[in-house]
Amino acid sequence: NYKRYLYQRVFLERLSYWAFVSAAQTLRPIKPPASHYLVFLFNSVSLSPEYSLSTSSPHRSPPSHSHRKMPDVQSMVLEFVNKLRKRKIEGSQATARCTVELLRSVISHHRVPHANQASALIDAVKAVGAQLVAANPVELAVGNVVRRVLHIIREEDLSLATAAVAGLDLLDASDDDEDVNGKGIGYPGMSAAVVAAAARSTLRPPSLQTLLEGTPESATVPYTSSSGADSESKTADKSSITRKLKHDVIEGVNQLIHEIAGCHEQIAEQAVEHIHQNEVILTLGSSRTVLEFLCAAKEKKRSFRVFVAEGAPRYQGHLLAKELVARGLQTTVITDSAVFAMISRVNMVIIGAHAVMANGGVIGPVGVNMAALAAKKHAVPFVVLAGSHKLCPLYPHNPEVLLNELRSPSELLDFGEFSDCLDFGTGSGSPLLQVVNPTFDYVPPSLVSLFITDTGGHNPSYMYRLIADYYSADDLVM
Amino acid sequence: MDPRRGPLAVPKVRRVGFFTSIEPSPETPRPNRSLSGPAEAITSSSPLSDSPSGQFISPVQIPPSRHHSDNLASRAAPVPVPGPSAFRRQLANDRTLHVGSYNPVDSLLGTSPPSSNGEVSEDSGSLFGFQRSDSAKLSASFPNGGFDMTVAVRAPGESEAKVATASTSDGRKKNVEASGESESVATKPRKEKETRSLKEKTSKAERRAIQEAQRAAKAAAKGEGSKRAGESSRPKPSKPAKQPQPKKEAPQVTSSVSEKRAVSVEKERRMDVPQTQMQYDDKSRVDKAKRRSVVEQTESKNKVELFLHLPQYERGNQLPNLSSNIFTLDTIHHAVYKVGLQHLAGDIAGDNARCIAMLHAFQEAINDYTTPPMKDLTMDLTAKINGYVSFLIECRPLSMSMGNAIRFLKNQIRKLPVDLSEPEAKASLCSEIGRFIDEKILLADKVIVQHAVTKIRDGEVLLTYGFSCVVEMILLYAHEIGRKFRVVIVDSRPNLEGQKLLRRLVTRGLDCTYTHINAVSYIMGEVTRVFLGASSIFSNGTLYSKVGTACVAMVANAFSVPVIVCCEAYKFHERVLLDSICSNELGDPDAIANVPLRNNKKHSKTMDNNKNLQFLNLMYDSTPAEYISMIVTDYGMIPPTSIPVIVREYRREDLLL
């Protein structure tokens, strides 16, 4: 029931948002007239007007911190927000890469204060991230990447801090070299504890102190642990740390970009372990990851055939089929309705996820749920490929997560053909004809056999732990 | 319920049951027979309750009762049978009593004035005696007509008397069999007379009886080898006669023969089972078929390997060619030819429509048929029909229901009495075809609508997939009688039949939601009931229907939404099927390839020749029985497990009668 409620809620929210978008789109001459959309709409749009307001508010009133940034960064952010809002960027990988590149430039252009640089950076990234997420809440990859960047900042900060502590320890150790027997036990013991605590803080939920003070625990470490060391060396140390932090963070972000770009290869490398000779593989939707995965197996001289469900009404399956054929794979395009009929002859279902939730549930192209159910019924392995940027630290029952998005009814029905069925006269009654055209489907973890990410294969039940490695618990709520 | 169900298993009792069908079926007229009703009534009336009434309804009632115990929680109180009986009555008002004419005995009893209790019971007793001599199978043929049709004819008042009759006669029949020679002989003339008086009216029935007699005689002849002379000697003499005298012949085969007959019926049944479908990966047979073929098919270049056993031809290129030589071709009747072309072009969609079109064409062809000199009508006409059928198959593989209809027609031809003049025979065949269409398709649909509408309550959200004319009738009827509900129409490429349904429903003012099959799990959460049409239902309960039906049923099952399948009983088939691969039909692959993508046009052309890319357009899929909550058919509402029962008890008789 709760799930249903969620779906409905999500649906309503998407709808209102969509109404907003479509109204915006009508300004452009290419699109059909506004009445086209509005007539088809569910009559419940009016239920959540405040949502559409809140959706658009970050865009209308830029956050206060933005004056600190260079103007070109701000315009870049706005441009990207607009792209997201208009759904110009398709596919989570492209979105993720754009997002992380944008964040990199945000970080590099951000003027870091001397004190508390880490938290300043985090604030800046969070502010931009909130805008991006609000622009397209369905594209979970944006949020994921923002959280990853935040996590990188925290990690770098922490490692600098531990390095500083280690330096202090060294200092202390050299200082107190003579009386090892005396108090030598005290200092190293204490600093080790601090380091251990700092190391643990990455996995541990935020402590009460950090929540109350709003300052990262690690940032305070150097000051608390400094036991009367000389101050001039401290300041020199700090300025080098400042520069080093930003540098390290950018380094880390670059690594993330690299990782996102290379996740296909990482995943594809594992293809040979999973695809064998003469297998029949079913896939649906158009996923670059799946394409690379299948082609990698093909390159390893495995011959197998692929069934591709066409994925109406967007027909992305046709695109995928074309690419597969271009790479020399034996491909058969089937209708979506034939998925159940064919599944009895299929050895494995491989799909690319749109997002993987923390409970192991998958958000994928519409129709995936059906395929997963059919696969379960016929005991066919249902394998989900997901780059690490698709791992989302949220749970699907989380109200923040918008599970779905409704697309234009014109993809399903030709408005011209059905205009005579509709009663335009009364605006009061609910329209007789409603068209539902969702974009995504949710597959519960129980239907998934295996996740293949760039770090290897995992069970759905393990995903929460994998996800905990990538994100800091402080950032779950943005 | 139990007393009724228990004895069912015993074959001997079954036989008794079939008689009752001829016997005016005491309970049927009762407008609202509850499930337990009849059983109680009978148990109280006589200890021999195993019988008439219980048996009479058995085939119809078993399923419901079983179903009842089944888990369809949503089943409301209504019991399947009252629907039809009430409905039949109402129907009978319009189409008064042609009803009786389907069935000689029915009309006889139905129209004869209600005699005194004793008399009737004697009569029926003797009837039992007669019928006993008939094989179980044969007499079983009546229930169909008897049950459905006679109900309406008979006045309710009469029924009370008949209940008594039934039970007493039942008690009697044991004796009758042994000693009732004289009794039955005595009644025979009377009956004969009565029937004769009806002769003009019941010419059709008569013919039916004739056929029956012949069949019986044939069977008996077969059985003779085993020297089962039979307890009663009376039937014997007439066996070889093979006369067109229905009144005498109908009741003729002795009960003693019945076991033997069962064997022969088995044989016949085996014969009746359609040959396995042609496997197109069998080179020699395909070549052979090709030589005979009218339609020139070019095999498609890019075949899907998994479906080599199905015909994969290029589409669309043979149509102009064919339509041009419609007047030059003399082997195929033009009406059949036209229907074939329509099938080929896809102008007629929907199983019922295709079947009716084909039958009408056959009717026309039979009307225009003249037996060539020195040839036998039966043989020659069968050959002709075979030719037509193979032509139709070339145009488009037959659906299961069409196969059933063709079997029916061939059986009719085979059962034609030899001494019938050609015009008479033709008229008989045509009227039989007409009857088949009326009764098995049109009337059946009405009954299904009546049944199914009881499952629609206010405020429900009904989901349907594709376009099924029965489902459309149900929805429109429910709307007409004022039910408030919403319809979700799920559609799929490439035919998009759902749009047709959507248009029809919306113009009639129904509240509709339209979506595509991928979104079915999105929308299923709000659905309370799923109504599906069927192309055929196999005897293992597998639903064979438009591709995608299985997906919808599966998702509904996952969401615990009841799935109700609406299917006329003539579509039931005794084959079994486990997957959608072994038996299927392939549509035009180009329909899949042509996608309304903006930048797709030029690309797809270059891709056409690529050996690696295939497009598979499956037409059907099979839904496992476990996804189906209930099947609404003209015999009532039954679980999928009862399909073989219906096939066994009813379908066969319809075909053979």
Side-chain angles (χ1 to χ4, degrees):
Chain A
N1 256 343
Y2 184 64
K3 201 170 113 198
R4 243 178 99 177
Y5 162 71
L6 252 188
Y7 262 108
Q8 269 167 3
R9 192 200 145 103
V10 162
F11 170 64
L12 287 182
E13 286 172 347
R14 287 320 312 150
L15 236 166
S16 58
Y17 176 70
W18 184 76
F20 171 74
V21 169
S22 62
Q25 280 174 340
T26 50
L27 297 176
R28 290 182 296 152
I30 317 146
K31 288 283 167 183
S35 62
H36 178 168
Y37 292 98
L38 297 176
V39 170
F40 277 96
L41 274 180
F42 278 72
N43 53 335
S44 48
V45 179
S46 56
L47 288 181
S48 53
E50 68 283 349
Y51 179 81
S52 57
L53 277 180
S54 69
T55 309
S56 49
S57 60
H59 166 58
R60 301 269 161 78
S61 59
S64 54
H65 70 271
S66 57
H67 66 273
R68 272 193 250 153
K69 273 177 294 185
M70 309 276 276
D72 59 328
V73 174
Q74 196 181 345
S75 66
M76 274 167 72
V77 170
L78 282 181
E79 188 190 346
F80 187 61
V81 163
N82 272 334
K83 269 190 189 169
L84 281 178
R85 194 179 297 259
K86 288 181 181 164
R87 308 295 192 260
K88 284 280 182 57
I89 308 175
E90 294 237 327
S92 45
Q93 207 223 359
T95 323
R97 199 179 326 150
C98 291
T99 312
V100 75
E101 276 164 7
L102 180 75
L103 289 178
R104 183 176 60 179
S105 57
V106 166
I107 291 169
S108 63
H109 287 92
H110 192 72
R111 222 179 294 126
V112 190
H114 283 296
N116 258 356
Q117 329 96 9
S119 62
L121 267 186
I122 287 173
D123 284 346
V125 169
K126 266 192 178 175
V128 173
Q131 281 187 75
L132 298 183
V133 170
N136 188 355
V138 181
E139 189 52 273
L140 293 164
V142 175
N144 297 344
V145 166
V146 172
R147 290 190 187 94
R148 287 286 292 277
V149 171
L150 291 175
H151 184 59
I152 288 170
I153 297 173
R154 287 179 202 279
E155 287 244 295
E156 293 301 333
D157 190 35
L158 179 72
S159 68
L160 280 181
T162 46
V165 169
L168 271 180
D169 285 346
L170 274 179
L171 207 68
D172 286 345
S174 60
D175 277 352
D176 308 333
D177 220 6
E178 48 270 26
D179 47 0
V180 179
N181 303 327
K183 50 183 181 174
I185 304 159
Y187 276 42
M190 191 207 93
S191 61
V194 168
V195 170
R200 251 184 282 123
S201 75
T202 51
L203 291 180
R204 187 179 72 181
S207 69
L208 195 60
Q209 191 198 359
T210 44
L211 284 177
L212 285 175
E213 294 178 3
T215 49
E217 193 178 22
S218 47
T220 61
V221 167
Y223 302 100
T224 53
S225 64
S226 64
S227 55
D230 44 351
S231 56
E232 61 269 28
S233 74
K234 195 93 214 168
T235 46
D237 209 22
K238 253 185 71 176
S239 63
S240 75
I241 285 178
T242 308
R243 254 175 280 117
K244 196 161 187 319
L245 176 69
K246 199 160 157 182
H247 178 260
D248 283 356
V249 166
I250 288 177
E251 196 82 333
V253 172
N254 279 337
Q255 231 169 40
L256 178 60
I257 293 176
H258 188 69
E259 186 190 312
I260 290 172
C263 71
H264 296 321
E265 287 78 53
Q266 294 280 325
I267 294 173
E269 269 176 25
Q270 307 165 53
V272 204
E273 296 172 26
H274 297 284
I275 299 179
H276 295 274
Q277 196 73 12
N278 292 329
E279 288 213 332
V280 179
I281 286 161
L282 174 76
T283 182
L284 66 164
S286 173
S287 161
R288 172 117 186 275
T289 322
V290 172
L291 177 72
E292 299 290 344
F293 191 79
L294 296 176
C295 290
K298 168 80 182 170
E299 279 157 19
K300 294 279 162 49
K301 304 285 179 265
R302 293 275 153 83
S303 78
F304 53 92
R305 47 180 61 248
V306 184
F307 285 119
V308 182
E310 61 176 1
R314 300 181 67 194
Y315 308 111
Q316 298 214 309
H318 285 268
L319 302 178
L320 179 65
K322 263 180 244 158
E323 301 227 9
L324 286 174
V325 169
R327 306 246 197 136
L329 276 102
Q330 260 214 327
T331 311
T332 306
V333 179
I334 62 173
T335 52
D336 305 310
S337 43
V339 163
F340 186 90
M342 300 308 298
I343 200 97
S344 61
R345 296 296 186 275
V346 165
N347 298 108
M348 192 190 285
V349 182
I350 298 179
I351 65 143
H354 171 71
V356 178
M357 310 308 288
N359 66 342
V362 178
I363 294 176
V366 67
V368 159
N369 188 308
M370 202 168 71
L373 280 170
K376 186 81 177 173
K377 154 84 179 163
H378 288 87
V380 175
F382 186 82
V383 177
V384 177
L385 309 183
S388 56
H389 60 277
K390 295 185 180 181
L391 307 181
C392 180
L394 305 174
Y395 286 83
H397 53 72
N398 194 329
E400 290 175 339
V401 185
L402 296 174
L403 289 177
N404 223 325
E405 176 168 55
L406 290 176
R407 297 174 63 85
S408 159
S410 63
E411 288 179 341
L412 290 187
L413 277 188
D414 185 14
F415 176 65
E417 265 180 50
F418 279 83
S419 55
D420 56 325
C421 298
L422 299 165
D423 183 18
F424 296 105
T426 63
S428 54
S430 59
L432 284 176
L433 176 55
Q434 304 167 345
V435 179
V436 183
N437 184 10
T439 316
F440 300 116
D441 237 353
Y442 173 71
V443 182
S446 56
L447 298 181
V448 179
S449 316
L450 187 69
F451 283 102
I452 298 178
T453 69
D454 31 13
T455 58
H458 303 288
N459 236 22
S461 56
Y462 180 69
M463 293 317 281
Y464 84 97
R465 189 62 192 78
L466 192 66
I467 282 166
D469 282 349
Y470 288 116
Y471 303 99
S472 154
D474 294 317
D475 303 326
L476 292 192
V477 182
M478 297 214 332
Chain B
M1 207 181 288
D2 282 336
R4 199 167 1 107
R5 230 202 284 183
L8 248 184
V10 189
K12 183 187 139 220
V13 182
R14 272 193 53 224
R15 209 166 39 191
V16 176
F18 290 123
F19 300 129
T20 36
S21 58
I22 291 164
E23 220 290 291
S25 63
E27 296 64 34
T28 26
R30 286 204 281 164
N32 41 4
R33 174 172 39 175
S34 74
L35 268 182
S36 55
E40 277 163 18
I42 293 146
T43 34
S44 60
S45 66
S46 87
L48 278 158
S49 58
D50 38 354
S51 54
S53 48
Q55 282 313 312
F56 161 63
I57 23 161
S58 62
V60 185
Q61 285 255 323
I62 315 160
S65 65
R66 207 189 296 172
H67 197 156
H68 194 249
S69 60
D70 244 87
N71 55 354
L72 222 204
S74 56
R75 261 178 70 89
V79 190
V81 193
S85 61
F87 175 62
R88 296 287 179 178
R89 175 170 309 143
Q90 169 222 325
L91 271 176
N93 289 341
D94 347 316
R95 6 176 323 152
T96 358
L97 340 318
H98 330 263
V99 171
S101 66
Y102 294 141
N103 189 329
V105 188
D106 281 341
S107 61
L108 172 102
L109 289 172
T111 47
S112 65
S115 39
S116 79
N117 226 356
E119 211 179 344
V120 172
S121 75
E122 186 185 56
D123 194 12
S124 56
S126 59
L127 259 179
F128 274 118
F130 291 152
Q131 285 303 326
R132 240 208 131 115
S133 56
D134 221 317
S135 84
K137 269 291 144 199
L138 262 183
S139 43
S141 57
F142 292 106
N144 167 41
F147 162 60
D148 285 344
M149 298 310 186
T150 51
V151 176
V153 183
R154 219 144 283 123
E158 208 179 347
S159 70
E160 294 311 316
K162 295 260 165 84
V163 176
T165 309
S167 50
T168 48
S169 65
D170 185 41
R172 261 162 189 260
K173 90 186 169 290
K174 302 238 152 81
N175 310 334
V176 170
E177 225 175 306
S179 67
E181 190 79 81
S182 62
E183 195 181 354
S184 48
V185 170
T187 50
K188 202 172 85 176
R190 193 170 62 84
K191 186 182 163 212
E192 202 172 320
K193 195 173 66 203
E194 276 173 4
T195 340
R196 223 167 240 157
S197 69
L198 287 168
K199 187 171 184 180
E200 289 78 21
K201 258 193 235 168
T202 60
S203 67
K204 214 191 292 174
E206 217 175 291
R207 257 172 280 152
R208 173 92 60 90
I210 295 168
Q211 294 159 14
E212 174 139 332
Q214 285 181 328
R215 208 170 76 86
K218 208 195 295 171
K222 271 186 209 158
E224 239 167 348
S226 72
K227 300 340 173 256
R228 299 287 227 104
E231 289 99 2
S232 72
S233 54
R234 186 171 39 76
K236 273 284 167 185
S238 58
K239 250 186 252 156
K242 244 192 182 184
Q243 295 298 322
Q245 290 188 333
K247 322 95 204 179
K248 268 187 193 164
E249 303 261 340
Q252 258 167 30
V253 190
T254 56
S255 64
S256 58
V257 193
S258 63
E259 286 91 346
K260 208 58 215 169
R261 263 199 58 74
V263 175
S264 63
V265 161
E266 271 315 309
K267 258 185 213 156
E268 232 171 272
R269 170 173 293 180
R270 227 168 286 143
M271 235 169 57
D272 275 348
V273 170
Q275 305 98 357
T276 48
Q277 286 187 337
M278 180 153 146
Q279 301 294 309
Y280 282 77
D281 45 359
D282 183 347
K283 266 270 177 274
S284 59
R285 281 194 66 188
V286 172
D287 289 344
K288 215 193 277 174
K290 231 177 205 171
R291 258 174 270 134
R292 289 193 307 254
S293 70
V294 180
V295 186
E296 282 185 24
Q297 306 267 32
T298 43
E299 294 195 8
S300 64
K301 286 160 280 177
N302 218 349
K303 289 186 175 183
V304 181
E305 200 178 297
L306 197 52
F307 290 95
L308 286 180
H309 62 289
L310 298 176
Q312 297 188 31
Y313 294 124
E314 297 271 325
R315 303 282 172 139
N317 47 5
Q318 63 280 72
L319 198 56
N321 199 6
L322 281 176
S323 43
S324 63
N325 56 15
I326 184 163
F327 298 113
T328 58
L329 206 73
D330 51 352
T331 53
I332 308 286
H333 188 269
H334 62 86
V336 179
Y337 200 81
K338 194 177 119 199
V339 169
L341 293 193
Q342 280 171 329
H343 283 182
L344 188 63
D347 291 347
I348 311 179
D351 271 351
N352 281 347
R354 280 175 69 198
C355 191
I356 291 174
M358 178 190 75
L359 287 175
H360 278 312
F362 282 162
Q363 247 177 340
E364 214 172 306
I366 289 173
N367 263 332
D368 295 350
Y369 169 82
T370 45
T371 317
M374 308 299 292
K375 273 195 178 163
D376 179 33
L377 178 135
T378 313
M379 303 288 276
D380 190 54
L381 190 55
T382 310
K384 271 259 192 247
I385 296 284
N386 280 340
Y388 297 161
V389 169
S390 57
F391 167 74
L392 287 180
I393 292 177
E394 284 164 30
C395 291
R396 182 180 163 183
L398 298 182
S399 66
M400 298 293 162
S401 52
M402 289 164 79
N404 282 341
I406 289 166
R407 278 165 73 196
F408 163 82
L409 177 60
K410 283 188 188 170
N411 273 312
Q412 291 299 328
I413 296 174
R414 196 167 47 181
K415 300 296 178 296
L416 275 180
V418 274
D419 59 344
L420 221 55
S421 72
E422 192 184 304
E424 271 180 323
K426 276 158 59 180
S428 154
L429 282 177
C430 286
S431 72
E432 282 300 326
I433 294 174
R435 186 185 68 88
F436 186 88
I437 295 174
D438 282 348
E439 198 178 301
K440 294 286 158 208
I441 304 179
L442 303 179
L443 192 59
D445 280 348
K446 286 182 190 161
V447 177
I448 289 173
V449 168
Q450 293 290 332
H451 282 311
V453 122
T454 63
K455 296 288 162 224
I456 301 179
R457 286 174 298 192
D458 280 352
E460 287 207 286
V461 182
L462 312 177
L463 184 143
T464 181
Y465 175 68
F467 180 86
S468 156
C469 53
V470 192
V471 172
E472 186 204 355
M473 285 162 73
I474 291 168
L475 295 176
L476 288 179
Y477 182 73
H479 182 67
E480 243 166 59
I481 62 173
R483 300 273 156 79
K484 300 269 177 293
F485 58 92
R486 204 152 66 77
V487 183
V488 177
I489 299 171
V490 179
D491 207 353
S492 77
R493 281 234 313 150
N495 290 336
L496 295 176
E497 294 161 336
Q499 293 192 358
K500 195 164 72 173
L501 180 64
L502 178 69
R503 171 172 292 279
R504 293 192 192 182
L505 294 187
V506 168
T507 45
R508 296 287 286 273
L510 275 84
D511 197 354
C512 293
T513 303
Y514 180 82
T515 188
H516 55 91
I517 186 154
N518 276 333
V520 68
S521 37
Y522 177 90
I523 203 84
M524 194 57 83
E526 58 195 73
V527 172
T528 57
R529 229 159 268 246
V530 176
F531 279 89
L532 297 174
S535 172
S536 181
I537 302 181
F538 294 113
S539 67
N540 59 345
T542 303
L543 167 66
Y544 184 71
S545 190
K546 179 180 147 56
V547 65
T549 307
C551 292
V552 174
M554 173 185 67
V555 173
N557 193 54
F559 282 75
S560 307
V561 177
V563 177
I564 298 170
V565 176
C566 306
C567 180
E568 300 86 353
Y570 87 100
K571 290 177 174 173
F572 294 171
H573 205 283
E574 60 225 10
R575 279 181 59 187
V576 289
L577 195 63
L578 286 175
D579 61 13
S580 319
I581 311 288
C582 297
S583 173
N584 214 318
E585 184 186 334
L586 297 184
D588 185 2
D590 290 342
I592 306 269
N594 296 332
V595 181
L597 269 186
R598 267 158 255 147
N599 47 6
N600 200 30
K601 285 281 182 279
K602 55 182 192 295
H603 207 26
S604 69
K605 257 177 205 139
T606 56
M607 280 297 170
D608 264 354
N609 304 320
N610 197 317
K611 198 120 188 65
N612 282 332
L613 182 62
Q614 297 141 354
F615 292 94
L616 177 65
N617 186 0
L618 275 186
M619 303 290 274
Y620 297 100
D621 67 8
S622 56
T623 311
E626 65 196 76
Y627 293 152
I628 303 171
S629 316
M630 180 168 82
I631 295 168
V632 183
T633 176
D634 29 342
Y635 295 116
M637 295 182 268
I638 57 174
T641 44
S642 295
I643 296 299
V645 181
I646 297 284
V647 169
R648 187 185 163 91
E649 302 296 338
Y650 284 129
R651 241 282 316 293
R652 188 175 160 69
E653 285 76 36
D654 295 334
L655 292 184
L656 293 184
L657 208 97

